[in-house]
């Protein structure tokens, strides 16, 4: 691990992935104050209070616009990374984040809740791009022996973003109404005698508007620092044909001059894909040579989002309250769960290269499956058996550990590794779209599911985790410490295509009639 590689990983993840996590969690704590702002703004405009149903609709819109924006962001991954590059896309993406931060930070001064909703769409598009481009960028830059660890770093920063939002959202920091974060008398002593005017000015920039507006700071840092680092060497060589720039980038990232082996491996990959060209989403979905890779990323992304992580966080507060935690201390419990999430994702960074991707995926979904099953039992019995509350707490913690080591970080790593350069952008576009659509669906459906099924809703999540685990066990290969071409060779067997080393191309085991079909099935894999 060189300093350059470490810095580019940290800057990319902090400037982009961190924002995703931060904006997932940032509106939870100040929700009552923001809803009051919505109501007060409406009253000032129309002279009557806002109807409760309309207020609920506006708040639901505020929450749901983020995952909907994420879906829209995923749809533009393919054209953006192919035309602007990986690094270029991240830099352009910062404009959305900074614009959204300014809109949210000044929304109260502008007396407009509409700009918050617009900003949530912009932040969603930003997160949709970032959640796909950062793993792709870092996965292409990392050597094969560090690709898993580097690939988990974006998820680590997502969890750090969630935790920081939870910490700053505490009621005595920024999770409050503007002007109430700190006592007025504290500022009066600092105002050099101009107490009234200066205190009013300082207090206007405290509370939830600042909490929402802080999201722009990481983007500013990335905008200034990321241009100092190279573009993805694979993008430079394979897609742009700039071998000398790719060599220069590799030498800087690896810390030594002899990069001929990696350059040669990239050339083989480039040669193997010349006949097919760049895959669009449509061609990816219809191409037989990548069928099981595509199915695998869809299953893993669906399993990640439909495995119940949102439901566990939703139930966590009431579970801890039933165990005797006072209501005003529940916010600290939320922070502690966020801290466990960060610590276990950090553990995943250090163990993914030794244990492998398959082991972490199977262990992660397995722990989530068992936790959901036992949690269903514990929640149903805790009214009659008080000690069951502590079992429920244990299940929540075990579930968070399972999701943090496998279900959350590894699917994005697998997308990077299971596809070659020509199909990787389209694969991330598909995986990202599935991710955000499932995220949106869970947010839309879960409250109705919880109202109808109660704790039994966790049995549905248990079944999803089990089905995902079974699929991974039988279909998904281990990719640890393998080159992209070696992984492609493994998946060729799964797709029932064989490698003709003498002709350097992949062909169907069965003959395909027709010139067009034969051309499509010639998926080159020069070895």
């Amino acid at each position: 691990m060189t300093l350059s590689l470490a810095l580019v990983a940290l800057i990319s993840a902090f400037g982009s992935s961190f924002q995703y996590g931060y904006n997932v969690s940032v509106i939870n704590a100040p929700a009552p104050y923001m809803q009051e702002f919505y109501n007060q703004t409406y009253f000032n405009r129309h002279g009557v209070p806002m109807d409760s149903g309309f207020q609920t609709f506006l708040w639901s819109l505020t929450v749901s616009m983020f995952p909907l924006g994420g879906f829209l962001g995923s749809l533009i991954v393919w054209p953006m990374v192919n035309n602007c590059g990986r690094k270029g896309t991240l830099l352009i993406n910062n404009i959305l984040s900074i614009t959204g931060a300014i809109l949210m930070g000044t929304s109260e001064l502008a007396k407009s809740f509409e700009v918050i909703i617009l900003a949530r769409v912009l932040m969603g598009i930003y997160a949709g791009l970032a959640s796909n481009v950062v793993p792709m960028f870092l996965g292409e830059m990392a050597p094969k022996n560090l690709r898993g660890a580097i690939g988990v770093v974006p998820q680590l920063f997502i969890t750090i973003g969630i935790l920081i939002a939870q910490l700053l959202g505490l009621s005595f920091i920024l999770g409050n109404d503007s002007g109430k974060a700190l006592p007025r008398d504290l500022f009066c002593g600092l105002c050099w005698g101009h107490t009234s005017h200066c205190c009013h000015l300082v207090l206007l920039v405290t509370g939830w508007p600042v909490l929402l507006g802080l999201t722009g700071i990481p983007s500013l840092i990335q905008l200034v620092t990321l241009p100092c680092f190279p573009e993805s060497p694979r993008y430079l060589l394979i897609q742009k044909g700039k071998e000398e720039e790719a060599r220069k980038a590799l030498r800087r990232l690896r810390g030594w001059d002899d990069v001929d082996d990696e350059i040669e491996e990239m050339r083989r990959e480039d040669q193997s894909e010349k006949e097919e060209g760049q895959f669009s989403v449509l061609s990816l979905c219809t191409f037989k040579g990548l069928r099981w890779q595509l199915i695998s990323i869809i299953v893993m992304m669906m399993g990640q989002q439909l495995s119940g992580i949102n439901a566990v966080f939703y139930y966590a507060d009431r579970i801890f309250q039933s165990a005797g935690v006072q209501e005003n201390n529940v916010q600290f419990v939320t922070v502690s769960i966020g801290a466990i999430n960060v610590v276990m994702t950090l553990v995943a960074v250090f163990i993914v290269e030794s244990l492998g991707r398959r082991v972490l995926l199977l262990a992660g979904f397995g722990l989530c499956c068992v936790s959901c099953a036992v949690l269903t039992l514990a929640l149903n019995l805790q009214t009659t058996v008080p000690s069951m509350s502590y079992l429920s707490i244990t299940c929540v913690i075990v579930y968070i550990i399972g999701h943090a080591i496998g279900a959350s970080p590894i699917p994005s790593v697998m997308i990077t590794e299971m596809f070659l350069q020509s199909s990787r952008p389209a694969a991330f576009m598909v995986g990202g779209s599935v991710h955000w659509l499932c995220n949106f669906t869970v947010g839309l459906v879960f409250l109705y599911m919880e109202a109808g099924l109660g704790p039994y809703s966790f049995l549905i999540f248990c079944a999803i985790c089990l089905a995902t685990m079974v699929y991974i066990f039988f279909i998904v290969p281990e990719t640890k410490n393998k080159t992209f071409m070696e992984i492609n060779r493994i998946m060729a067997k799964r797709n029932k295509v064989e490698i003709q080393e003498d002709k350097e191309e992949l062909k169907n085991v069965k003959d395909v009639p027709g010139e067009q079909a034969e051309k499509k099935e010639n998926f080159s894999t020069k070895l």
Side-chain angles (χ1 to χ4, degrees):
M1 172 74 77
T2 63
L3 181 61
S4 291
L5 182 59
L7 286 176
V8 75
L10 293 175
I11 291 169
S12 302
F14 175 66
S16 296
S17 303
F18 176 90
Q19 307 263 51
Y20 173 13
Y22 188 88
N23 284 281
V24 163
S25 180
V26 72
I27 66 170
N28 293 342
Y33 303 106
M34 292 177 66
Q35 291 177 52
E36 177 57 31
F37 165 67
Y38 284 24
N39 189 47
Q40 186 62 47
T41 302
Y42 186 89
F43 180 81
N44 292 339
R45 292 177 185 176
H46 304 285
V48 293
M50 185 183 291
D51 178 73
S52 60
F54 185 57
Q55 185 178 28
T56 302
F57 168 75
L58 283 179
W59 186 248
S60 299
L61 206 60
T62 304
V63 174
S64 62
M65 283 300 101
F66 183 71
L68 188 60
F71 173 67
L72 296 176
S74 296
L75 294 180
I76 59 175
V77 168
W78 180 77
M80 287 288 288
V81 297
N82 283 331
N83 292 301
C84 304
R86 281 62 166 154
K87 186 178 79 170
T89 299
L90 291 178
L91 291 173
I92 294 170
N93 201 25
N94 286 320
I95 297 172
L96 293 174
S97 174
I98 293 169
T99 303
I102 292 171
L103 290 175
M104 291 190 289
T106 59
S107 58
E108 192 181 35
L109 290 173
K111 301 187 184 305
S112 172
F113 52 76
E114 292 88 351
V115 299
I116 297 178
I117 296 173
L118 173 61
R120 291 285 289 175
V121 176
L122 294 178
M123 294 309 304
I125 296 172
Y126 173 88
L129 274 167
S131 62
N132 291 289
V133 179
V134 176
M136 188 191 311
F137 181 48
L138 297 183
E140 290 179 0
M141 299 183 87
K144 65 179 182 180
N145 62 312
L146 291 175
R147 200 167 55 225
I150 296 292
V152 175
V153 169
Q155 181 61 34
L156 174 63
F157 274 84
I158 290 174
T159 62
I160 292 173
I162 293 172
L163 178 61
I164 295 300
Q166 291 169 340
L167 285 169
L168 295 179
L170 293 172
S171 59
F172 57 87
I173 302 180
L174 291 175
N176 49 61
D177 198 3
S178 60
K180 296 180 182 177
L182 291 170
R184 180 178 289 271
D185 292 342
L186 178 61
F187 290 107
C188 290
L190 304 175
C191 291
W192 301 92
H194 303 288
T195 304
S196 176
H197 176 70
C198 291
C199 280
H200 181 66
L201 203 61
V202 173
L203 292 173
L204 274 175
V205 291
T206 59
W208 63 264
V210 174
L211 181 65
L212 269 59
L214 287 175
T215 188
I217 294 177
S219 286
L220 284 172
I221 295 173
Q222 186 182 80
L223 200 58
V224 172
T225 57
L226 191 58
C228 302
F229 295 90
E231 176 60 273
S232 160
R234 305 189 87 84
Y235 172 78
L236 290 172
L237 179 62
I238 298 176
Q239 292 185 243
K240 291 298 180 181
K242 299 178 179 179
E243 182 174 326
E244 196 53 45
E245 288 187 32
R247 282 183 180 276
K248 185 178 178 182
L250 272 177
R251 286 169 182 155
R252 184 174 176 187
L253 292 169
R254 300 295 180 261
W256 55 71
D257 291 334
D258 186 9
V259 293
D260 289 343
D261 288 345
E262 283 195 74
I263 290 291
E264 182 58 31
E265 190 259 326
M266 291 182 200
R267 281 181 184 151
R268 288 199 300 268
E269 182 177 337
D270 183 29
Q271 184 63 35
S272 74
E273 298 188 296
K274 278 191 181 298
E275 186 175 338
E276 296 302 328
Q278 288 294 313
F279 278 82
S280 66
V281 173
L282 180 60
S283 60
L284 176 66
C285 294
T286 56
F287 184 51
K288 199 171 184 179
L290 294 172
R291 177 177 296 170
W292 282 106
Q293 289 97 312
L294 182 66
I295 295 173
S296 296
I297 65 166
I298 291 174
V299 169
M300 286 188 286
M301 282 298 183
M302 288 183 68
Q304 179 193 72
Q305 290 301 307
L306 301 180
S307 57
I309 184 66
N310 295 329
V312 169
F313 276 108
Y314 177 83
Y315 264 95
D317 290 356
R318 68 176 74 177
I319 288 171
F320 280 90
Q321 284 182 29
S322 67
V325 178
Q326 296 181 0
E327 186 174 354
N328 59 343
N329 290 329
V330 168
Q331 59 181 336
F332 301 109
V333 171
T334 303
V335 171
S336 67
I337 292 175
I340 293 171
N341 204 9
V342 171
V343 170
M344 294 313 301
T345 308
L346 182 61
V347 170
V349 172
F350 291 101
I351 64 175
V352 66
E353 295 298 352
S354 57
L355 296 182
R357 287 63 153 156
R358 260 175 62 89
V359 171
L360 291 186
L361 282 169
L362 292 171
F365 279 107
L367 288 173
C368 291
C369 178
V370 173
S371 298
C372 285
V374 177
L375 187 57
T376 303
L377 177 66
L379 288 174
N380 279 287
L381 294 179
Q382 68 182 16
T383 53
T384 54
V385 184
S387 60
M388 282 293 169
S389 297
Y390 300 102
L391 180 59
S392 298
I393 292 174
T394 303
C395 288
V396 168
I397 294 173
V398 171
Y399 181 95
I400 296 298
I401 291 172
H403 219 275
I405 64 170
S408 287
I410 305 301
S412 292
V413 176
M414 298 300 290
I415 297 178
T416 302
E417 295 184 327
M418 293 177 76
F419 292 86
L420 298 179
Q421 194 75 14
S422 64
S423 54
R424 192 174 295 123
F428 266 101
M429 186 170 165
V430 172
S433 299
V434 171
H435 170 98
W436 287 101
L437 276 178
C438 291
N439 188 313
F440 179 75
T441 301
V442 170
L444 201 65
V445 171
F446 175 68
L447 290 180
Y448 296 101
M449 196 166 73
E450 193 273 335
L453 299 175
Y456 289 104
S457 57
F458 283 99
L459 289 179
I460 296 175
F461 302 130
C462 176
I464 292 172
C465 290
L466 179 61
T468 307
M469 186 172 62
V470 170
Y471 178 90
I472 291 169
F473 181 80
F474 285 105
I475 302 297
V476 178
E478 180 55 71
T479 58
K480 179 183 72 171
N481 208 27
K482 292 181 173 66
T483 67
F484 293 126
M485 292 297 292
E486 288 170 342
I487 298 166
N488 186 58
R489 200 176 307 145
I490 293 171
M491 292 307 298
K493 298 177 182 178
R494 178 68 62 187
N495 289 312
K496 294 184 178 179
V497 292
E498 61 183 15
I499 300 173
Q500 303 291 341
E501 296 192 32
D502 54 333
K503 295 182 180 180
E504 301 176 351
E505 57 184 24
L506 279 174
K507 292 183 178 179
N508 273 340
V509 175
K510 296 182 179 180
D511 291 334
V512 180
E515 182 180 346
Q516 184 65 27
E518 183 178 351
K519 180 181 178 182
K520 194 62 185 174
E521 290 300 322
N522 284 340
F523 183 53
S524 299
T525 56
K526 181 178 177 182
L527 297 178

